[in-house]
Amino acid sequence: MISCSRAVPRFRPLPPSFYRRPAEVVARDLLGRWLVHEDAGERLVLRLVETEAYLGAPDRASHAWGGRRTPRNESLYLPGGHAYVYFIYGMHFCLNAVTGTRDAGSAVLLRAGEPVEGAERMRVHRGWTRAPRPGDLAGGPGKLCQALGVGRELDGVLLSGPPLWIARGEPAAPAEIAAGPRIGVAYAGEAALWPLRFAVAGNRHVSRPWPAGPPGSSSAKLSVNDF
DNA sequence: CGGAAGATCCACT
DNA sequence: GTGGATCTTCCGA
């Protein structure tokens, strides 16, 4: 039999060229995509519902602010399409997709996802004994990594195939994308207010309730070019 | 070399 | 809504 069995269209990875665009563009375009981690024969899949863009040197909230370069954030300077994983608060990991060209220092933080496959395994990873509620498994950057079993060993890997990649999935329509200020970056001054947090409007798996706005408004019209 | 802060999460009041 | 956990990393002295 001819080996034509390589087709895995359902989990076809996004190409590196997808990531070699501005972080705020990639952050929007990642919503609805599938984040896949394969480990020890088990496949865990999340549909991304919340992201944040970090713009590099000009962005005070970014680990690459002012061109800061240390052993810890070295992979943040890889070409777009690589993973940047870091350890924070003494107990959590956060996963980013690096964007732009080599040395740009820009990335997208993957903040929340909705279980698509392997929810039972994610529940075990997260330590839940009872039925989790929406957001319990991957409704936050630390939770997302714990649910998928992502740690520092994946720092710097290419996100275009096993063990960790992002697949085409079901991209969110631009009209259903909400934008707002990023979370946990108050120290960044004015940059903290830039509308670089994106989510699928109304999705129950986001990390936090969306900032109060006019009822029914998704602030989808907020332009990232306005600052 | 020491101190302080951190792209978080959870339990508790 | 508030505070504690927990420890690596970084910067200033």
Side-chain angles (χ1 to χ4, degrees):
Chain A
M1 175 181 288
I2 305 174
S3 56
C4 292
S5 58
R6 66 190 183 88
V8 189
R10 186 174 158 81
F11 299 106
R12 187 176 168 200
L14 293 165
S17 59
F18 175 92
Y19 302 93
R20 302 198 178 151
R21 298 180 290 166
E24 65 271 26
V25 172
V26 176
R28 288 175 170 274
D29 208 355
L30 280 176
L31 295 176
R33 310 289 187 170
W34 287 339
L35 175 61
V36 187
H37 184 211
E38 277 187 356
D39 183 43
E42 80 181 3
R43 185 170 58 206
L44 305 175
V45 184
L46 289 172
R47 179 174 185 257
L48 295 172
V49 299
E50 182 182 348
T51 60
E52 278 179 357
Y54 286 83
L55 307 186
D59 181 0
R60 195 169 167 184
S62 169
H63 289 173
W65 177 47
R68 280 170 170 67
R69 194 158 186 158
T70 67
R72 175 208 195 195
N73 69 6
E74 187 58 35
S75 58
L76 181 52
Y77 291 92
L78 290 170
H82 291 262
Y84 168 47
V85 181
Y86 64 89
F87 186 60
I88 191 67
Y89 291 121
M91 57 186 89
H92 300 294
F93 291 100
C94 289
L95 170 63
N96 295 253
V98 177
T99 63
T101 55
R102 177 182 293 279
D103 293 330
S106 60
V108 174
L109 172 67
L110 308 182
R111 285 195 57 90
E114 178 175 353
V116 168
E117 182 178 320
E120 171 58 19
R121 190 70 192 145
M122 295 182 200
R123 183 185 62 76
V124 174
H125 281 163
R126 291 276 298 126
W128 285 89
T129 55
R130 292 181 295 177
R133 300 172 50 169
D136 283 344
L137 294 183
K143 298 179 188 177
L144 180 149
C145 284
Q146 191 180 16
L148 290 184
V150 168
R152 193 72 187 269
E153 71 280 359
L154 292 173
D155 183 40
V157 303
L158 193 59
L159 290 171
S160 293
L164 183 67
W165 73 98
I166 301 176
R168 304 191 171 231
E170 311 157 340
E176 67 171 335
I177 297 176
R182 293 172 293 183
I183 301 296
V185 296
Y187 59 86
E190 188 174 334
L193 302 177
W194 296 347
L196 294 178
R197 178 191 180 209
F198 304 101
V200 176
N203 189 282
R204 315 228 323 126
H205 299 262
V206 297
S207 64
R208 305 189 178 197
W210 206 253
S217 161
S218 72
S219 60
K221 301 291 187 184
L222 262 181
S223 170
V224 295
N225 297 318
D226 283 346
F227 55 87

